[in-house]
Amino acid sequence: LTPVMSIKQAIGHKFSPTKVHITEKDVSLYALGVGEGWHPTDQTNLKFVYENHPDFAPLPSMVVNFPLSVLAQLFENVPGLTFNPMMLLHGEQYFEIRGKIPTSGTLVSSGHISNIYDKGKGALVVIDAITVDEATGKEVSFNQSSLFIRGLGGFGGDRGTAADTNPPSRHPDVIHKEETTPQQALLYRLSGDFNPLHADPSMAEMGGFKQPILHGLCTLGFATRAVVHHFCNSDPAHVQSVRVRFTKHVFPGEQIITEIWKVGPRRLLFQCSVAGREGLVLSG
């Protein structure tokens, strides 16, 4: 097969459904992994990390971890896609809340490759995944993960379109600054993303980094928390969907600066940078 025919063959590929069993412990662990709990006596913090709180609830961004085992199947015999895992980067993430996120139970995720875009220097593989609550059969969330594989571009496919996430020229409505801890990636990985790039110094060096880096999805969690606390009265039910693009890495221990603009009745734009370094690490 020619490269173009080979890659096109992968579009529509369905992955095997996967299950994840969550408990109240997992809900709290995820929240701690994305920085919640800095103020443990504050009720708006405590509700995400203490199971006996009357308003105990998962942070909305926790849903990005439910289909991780679906995404992992990209490394397993997908027709037309053969690549070095070290050449894969998480480019973009979109999630949509479609139902109540349980604090315990079994969640089933099903996914497929919805498209592959030719970005010249690489291919952008888009995976759509729906997660349902096994007990009720109702949808909980939809995730769309865009994974950039360096070296697979130039096959003549559609380049796709870029979402307009340019913020207004005015000053942000909120600037939220928050420290990550040196062990942030080691804590976050316990929620299911065990990529050694985020824990093993030798693997990080192979990837071109001086030390293990923070998960992009962890940075997404920090940004989503800032939105929840500043614009949703700390009520996660107000978050319907989030779309972000990952642009640079974050090292554990760095300060994440999230700038947020309200651009409509129910629409926000935000971007993240780190103190002491130029450029954005995330925009959404």
Side-chain angles (χ1 to χ4, degrees), residues 12-272:
H13 176 78
K14 293 184 178 180
F15 300 105
S16 299
T18 64
K19 292 184 179 182
V20 60
H21 307 281
I22 65 168
T23 66
E24 294 171 335
K25 175 183 174 181
D26 297 307
V27 171
S28 297
L29 184 62
Y30 173 79
L32 292 169
V34 296
E36 197 61 88
W38 272 107
H39 307 287
T41 59
D42 184 334
Q43 294 297 316
T44 63
N45 277 220
L46 201 58
K47 66 189 288 185
F48 297 111
V49 297
Y50 180 47
E51 69 280 1
N52 289 327
H53 191 285
D55 297 321
F56 181 61
L59 284 165
S61 53
M62 184 180 180
V63 302
V64 301
N65 284 340
F66 298 158
L68 286 177
S69 295
V70 171
L71 302 188
Q73 295 177 55
L74 188 64
F75 302 104
E76 306 171 3
N77 300 321
V78 175
L81 280 183
T82 302
F83 62 95
N84 179 349
M86 295 303 295
M87 301 301 283
L88 184 145
L89 298 170
H90 199 155
E92 300 176 11
Q93 182 71 30
Y94 171 77
F95 73 81
E96 184 180 302
I97 307 300
R98 294 188 173 179
K100 182 177 176 60
I101 308 171
T103 55
S104 64
T106 299
L107 301 168
V108 182
S109 296
S110 303
H112 70 283
I113 296 176
S114 60
N115 219 325
I116 301 178
Y117 296 109
D118 186 346
K119 296 296 185 179
K121 294 183 179 180
L124 191 70
V125 179
V126 182
I127 298 177
D128 292 356
I130 293 175
T131 299
V132 302
D133 186 330
E134 186 177 58
T136 65
K138 294 182 179 179
E139 292 186 6
V140 173
S141 61
F142 169 80
N143 275 276
Q144 185 175 80
S145 305
S146 299
L147 308 174
F148 184 75
I149 305 176
R150 291 171 287 177
L152 284 190
F155 59 88
D158 183 9
R159 285 191 58 85
T161 57
D164 180 15
T165 56
N166 293 321
S169 57
R170 60 180 172 82
H171 194 268
D173 295 303
V174 165
I175 299 178
H176 180 86
K177 299 181 179 181
E178 193 162 16
E179 307 289 341
T180 63
T181 66
Q183 66 269 37
Q184 199 76 57
L186 297 175
L187 180 59
Y188 182 81
R189 70 189 297 271
L190 300 180
S191 287
D193 192 336
F194 296 110
N195 186 336
L197 179 67
H198 307 292
D200 188 331
S202 62
M203 294 298 289
E205 186 177 356
M206 287 176 59
F209 301 104
K210 64 180 182 180
Q211 68 182 74
I213 62 174
L214 195 63
H215 305 69
L217 291 178
C218 182
T219 305
L220 164 61
F222 269 80
T224 303
R225 279 184 48 246
V227 168
V228 168
H229 287 304
H230 287 287
F231 289 90
C232 302
N233 196 29
S234 298
D235 183 353
H238 291 302
V239 176
Q240 293 182 331
S241 63
V242 173
R243 183 184 302 277
V244 299
R245 175 178 295 174
F246 305 107
T247 50
K248 281 187 180 179
H249 59 277
V250 175
F251 290 119
E254 289 187 309
Q255 183 188 70
I256 297 176
I257 303 170
T258 304
E259 300 174 300
I260 311 172
W261 291 262
K262 187 171 184 178
V263 295
R266 297 188 58 83
R267 185 167 185 257
L268 304 171
L269 290 179
F270 60 88
Q271 60 188 28
C272 296

